Amino acid sequence: MSLGERFFMIYFFRENKLNGFNAGAKAPSDIEIILEQLGYIPISFPHRMNKSSVFTKIYLAVMSLIAWIKFYMKVRENDIIIYQHPIMASMPLANYMIKKIRSKKKINMIAIVHDLSSYRFSVNECSKSRMKFYKKSDAILTQFDYVICHNNKMKEYLSQYINSTQIIELGIFDYLTNHLKKNNTFYNNNLVITIAGNLSNLKCGYIYKMKNLNVKLYLYGNNYKSEKNNDNVIYKGSFDPSELVEKIEGSFGLVWDGNEVETCAGNYGNYMKINNPHKLSLYLASNMPVIVWKDAAIADFVKKNNLGIAINSLLEIPEKLTNDEYLEMKNNAGKIGKQIRNGYYTRNAINKCMDLISIKNKIGEIDINE
């Protein structure tokens, strides 16, 4: 490939992940698949292991260092590097190596943001050492030429530290899958709210306060603690994220976080003000309309495309809609869902970055000739 008269390669970081029903790995894995489909070259890094022994931690650190050295030796001038933030294995080493590479080699670097932990854990205090680590980790984004973030609200937040012309909005995460059940959504005056993801009391405490509401819940995911059988709450089980699109059923997918039904609260609730929850992509990939918090960043996307309902409180969940209203939302969800299943939003954001790199290099060539 060439950009003007300069030849370059495009690399992306790929972490070797463990198997399991962990939806948290779905988004970065999908992006890796899309980048490989685009013809970009993967550079493999080891993935962090949970509950690892001292020996495993040492082994991981050594393997990470070896991977970074190989990467440093491989990249050449004008190459393009795509990095998914945060990388899970040895973040301090990643921070050091990226700074070193930027100081030694003239390359273009693109970061795709998955999480900003320094914002996510800013409401309820974590330890000073942990917050210091999060801030250092997120500060790495200032080293990149271009940053792909979730939405306009996250762009506004990042613009405090990064030139806004370097920030590209993703819009929504893609959700690749070949599994799709045609008739998984329904609404015949029988409202069923679907909730998928981590069902722990810490993240989704509101679930345990909805049992007395006049609404039926279908739950999909891990960490659900059922106290008693309840006709209004039905636990459907945990599934592989790619297969969940085929298994999931309901009228609306609910995007809500925190312990309260009146509002999204706590660290996870506050994080929704700038975050794109991956469960939104799951619901839309399933052609399912959604209910979201009115103050969530994703509410703009939902309202703009008429994909569902934005509410202040779960107490506002409507018991009835007209069939015409619901069918329009469902049809719109189907249109966006098709794009999400095909990787449209990642490709679009990457293409915008490539266009900006091309323009920047052309300007550089003119300056040189002058």
Side-chain angles (χ1 to χ4, degrees), residues 293-330:
W293 183 36
K294 205 167 186 178
D295 290 335
I298 57 169
D300 293 338
F301 185 88
V302 170
K303 289 185 288 187
K304 178 182 177 181
N305 295 285
N306 192 20
L307 302 171
I309 304 165
I311 58 176
N312 287 311
S313 164
L314 294 177
L315 302 176
E316 298 176 7
I317 291 178
E319 294 186 8
K320 290 186 178 181
L321 292 169
T322 67
N323 282 328
D324 287 344
E325 287 175 318
Y326 181 77
L327 286 174
E328 183 177 358
M329 294 175 185
K330 181 178 176 180

Side-chain angles (χ1 to χ4, degrees), residues 90-97 133 137:
S90 189
M91 176 57 76
L93 178 60
N95 285 13
Y96 171 79
M97 289 301 298
F133 173 79
S137 297

Side-chain angles (χ1 to χ4, degrees), residues 327-345:
L327 286 174
E328 183 177 358
M329 294 175 185
K330 181 178 176 180
N331 289 336
N332 292 335
K335 294 174 184 177
I336 299 295
K338 183 177 180 180
Q339 293 179 328
I340 289 171
R341 293 191 301 272
N342 292 330
Y344 167 81
Y345 290 92

